[in-house]
Amino acid sequence: MATMVREPVSPVKDDHYDLLHTLQMSLEHVWKMENYIADAEARGDSELATWFREIQDEHRKMGAQGKKLLKARLQREKV
């Protein structure tokens, strides 16, 4: 039976680190999907290009939610 390997615990103990890191990953995926969409379209694979666009849209939504969440949290700390 395969064993799941956990990533090391984050060395950064800041409350916002996980949020920032996940936001960065979501936005990076939006950017990466542009390349994958272009590659699929260059090969004439519209089915794959459409799937990559759907993934991109989901990451864009998650990025927008993450930005709102981060903004709200930072504003609450502005005391």
Side-chain angles (χ1 to χ4, degrees):
M1 184 170 167
T3 303
M4 297 287 292
V5 177
R6 291 191 62 165
E7 287 190 35
V9 175
S10 168
V12 181
K13 299 299 180 191
D14 182 88
D15 289 341
H16 302 302
Y17 176 80
D18 291 343
L19 173 57
L20 285 168
H21 184 71
T22 302
L23 175 58
Q24 181 269 330
M25 288 183 349
S26 289
L27 296 175
E28 184 176 326
H29 278 76
V30 170
W31 174 73
K32 284 184 178 184
M33 288 299 119
E34 284 297 321
N35 293 327
Y36 300 160
I37 292 165
D39 290 346
E41 287 177 338
R43 290 189 304 273
D45 192 338
S46 61
E47 179 181 37
L48 193 55
T50 298
W51 186 63
F52 288 144
R53 280 190 190 90
E54 291 170 6
I55 294 169
Q56 185 181 49
D57 288 344
E58 289 303 313
H59 280 286
R60 191 173 278 123
K61 288 176 196 173
M62 295 299 103
Q65 287 177 359
K67 286 191 265 185
K68 285 180 185 178
L69 184 58
L70 179 61
K71 181 180 177 181
R73 287 171 177 253
L74 291 175
Q75 286 176 338
R76 279 195 305 257
E77 291 180 5
K78 267 188 176 178
V79 182

